[in-house]
Amino acid sequence: MGHGLLSALHGARGRNASIIALDVRELAPDIRAHCDQAFIGDICDHPLLERLLAMYEIQEIYHLAALLSTRGEFAPETAHQVNVGGTLNLLHLAAEQARSHGRTVKFFFPSSIAVYGMPDLATKRASGSVREDQFCEPHTMYGCNKLAGEHLGRYYAHHYRKLAKDRIEHPVDFRSIRFPGIISAETMPSGGTSDYGPEMIHAAAAGRAYCCFVRGDSRIPFMTMPEAIDSTLRLMAAPRPVLRRCVYNVASFSPRADDFARLVRLAFPSAEIEFEPDLGRQSIIDSWPECCDDSAARADWGWTQSHTLESAFSGYLLPRISSRYSNTAATAPAGRAKAADMLKK
Ligand code: AKB
């Protein structure tokens, strides 16, 4: 998501704003071209963050670094260090920037539906759409970390150094969205549990068989990458007084895993998809809600989804994915166009 956001910020930025990127890996040249400076490094590297603090007058921070839910269960303590330690470091950087320049620093934190923990499948199915304040008892380290990040952000925004004589009020303007699974036509996710959605589509387009690690009737919310980026920019652009919360749900579509498979087979008739649930990863998906109530985001900052599952396939995924895998038999133009047409109907 960070890479897509860099391009969007580059297009949307004001005349005097510079974009400074920090990533653990070197950026691809086309993404690097959107930045004024790009550092290779880690958000857990204190001296590097101190250097950034000294070098720049930072006005906004978009903190996208995290170890996701599946990877986090293999190394929970490392996930905690990166996800919570890294968030704390960046919030501290924001607060210190605010202190040295006397201006509130805006901070964007992508939270996740992983903060929810549905106690069992029956409750998940009966609950339908969940509000921000319901079922916040995560089952994964990643979910615990995201919930901790939300609380830390609220603390830095409203209560930081409560007892200090030289405290400044509201050093950080913390804004967060609880994202569903995100599907990108350009990049493959890794280390997440919602990965089965994008993996199924990319595998079919590349002409590879796919074994889905959850049951066909598994349902969680998803959205496309452009919707995720659009929601981030919209929330960050909203005037502070209209925001009644720090953390918002957003929603787009909530397909079952076998709905994905149906549309993938329609678009790529030779796709081979099997379902072979992995009990551990299935239990994570079963702990996430079927759908999120995004009425607060709609009311406060005008969030609206752009897609249904069908229009996400026909208007975004199929055209883009097909050009990415353009030399595989699975993406033969005639079949693709027919599938996109059928989806539109
Ligand atoms: C994951 O699967 O861990 C992420 C998420 C839902 O936050 N994609």
Side-chain angles (χ1 to χ4, degrees):
M1 182 170 169
H3 294 173
L5 193 57
L6 279 173
S7 316
L9 287 172
H10 174 74
R13 73 176 162 174
R15 244 190 311 142
N16 297 322
S18 304
I19 297 177
I20 314 299
L22 172 60
D23 199 322
V24 280
R25 278 181 296 273
E26 192 168 356
L27 296 178
D30 55 328
I31 313 266
R32 171 69 185 80
H34 293 140
C35 310
D36 296 271
Q37 279 290 334
F39 292 86
I40 302 176
D42 188 333
I43 50 168
C44 297
D45 178 347
H46 289 270
L48 172 61
L49 296 186
E50 289 296 327
R51 232 165 9 110
L52 295 181
L53 180 66
M55 285 167 72
Y56 298 105
E57 191 176 326
I58 297 170
Q59 290 166 9
E60 295 186 11
I61 295 179
Y62 296 79
H63 163 32
L64 283 306
L67 292 189
L68 301 186
S69 54
T70 290
R71 188 159 302 151
E73 288 313 296
F74 288 102
E77 292 75 19
T78 309
H80 182 84
Q81 267 164 21
V82 174
N83 295 347
V84 180
T87 301
L88 191 67
N89 292 343
L90 291 178
L91 284 166
H92 178 70
L93 174 78
E96 286 311 308
Q97 276 285 325
R99 174 189 300 284
S100 62
H101 301 297
R103 242 198 333 244
T104 298
V105 172
K106 270 190 184 177
F107 194 105
F108 179 74
F109 179 67
S111 190
S112 162
I113 52 164
V115 302
Y116 295 111
M118 309 306 293
D120 51 59
L121 205 47
T123 312
K124 166 170 169 150
R125 289 188 174 142
S127 302
S129 242
V130 303
R131 289 192 317 273
E132 283 88 348
D133 53 356
Q134 291 181 291
F135 301 110
C136 286
E137 293 184 4
H139 294 201
T140 58
M141 178 53 102
Y142 170 72
C144 295
N145 297 161
K146 286 294 184 189
L147 198 54
E150 294 179 3
H151 287 308
L152 288 171
R154 200 175 291 109
Y155 167 75
Y156 274 80
H158 299 299
H159 308 290
Y160 182 52
R161 299 176 83 238
K162 212 177 238 325
L163 303 182
K165 295 240 160 26
D166 61 345
R167 93 179 272 264
I168 50 168
E169 279 199 40
H170 308 301
V172 178
D173 176 358
F174 180 82
R175 304 177 181 208
S176 177
I177 289 177
R178 284 188 188 156
F179 284 112
I182 299 176
I183 319 173
S184 165
E186 270 86 29
T187 53
M188 282 286 283
S190 84
T193 316
S194 60
D195 294 2
Y196 62 87
E199 279 175 0
M200 202 184 282
I201 304 165
H202 282 263
R208 281 184 275 107
Y210 185 67
C211 184
C212 180
F213 57 81
V214 294
R215 292 186 315 267
D217 69 356
S218 306
R219 192 193 291 281
I220 59 162
F222 280 91
M223 70 176 22
T224 61
M225 183 62 83
E227 288 175 298
I229 290 172
D230 174 47
S231 64
T232 304
L233 297 182
R234 282 210 222 181
L235 174 61
M236 288 299 271
R240 182 70 243 177
V242 305
L243 302 179
R244 290 171 299 158
R245 338 175 36 94
C246 285
V247 179
Y248 288 89
N249 281 339
V250 289
S252 188
F253 42 86
S254 277
R256 289 166 41 129
D258 54 14
D259 290 329
F260 270 119
R262 181 175 48 81
L263 293 192
V264 167
R265 287 191 183 108
L266 197 59
F268 305 102
S270 58
E272 289 174 49
I273 303 168
E274 276 177 56
F275 288 85
E276 212 174 280
D278 168 277
L279 289 186
R281 294 181 98 182
Q282 181 71 59
S283 75
I284 296 178
I285 291 297
D286 289 344
S287 76
W288 294 349
E290 288 198 341
C291 189
C292 290
D293 177 340
D294 62 357
S295 48
R298 287 174 186 273
D300 289 5
W301 46 276
W303 160 247
T304 43
Q305 73 201 69
S306 324
H307 285 299
T308 59
L309 175 66
E310 283 72 16
S311 80
F313 264 75
S314 62
Y316 166 62
L317 291 165
L318 291 183
R320 302 265 194 120
I321 271 188
S322 304
S323 57
R324 186 186 151 137
Y325 298 99
S326 52
N327 44 16
T328 64
T331 54
R336 235 167 41 220
K338 202 170 120 210
D341 264 8
M342 283 164 77
L343 288 170
K344 277 185 210 139
K345 286 171 201 157

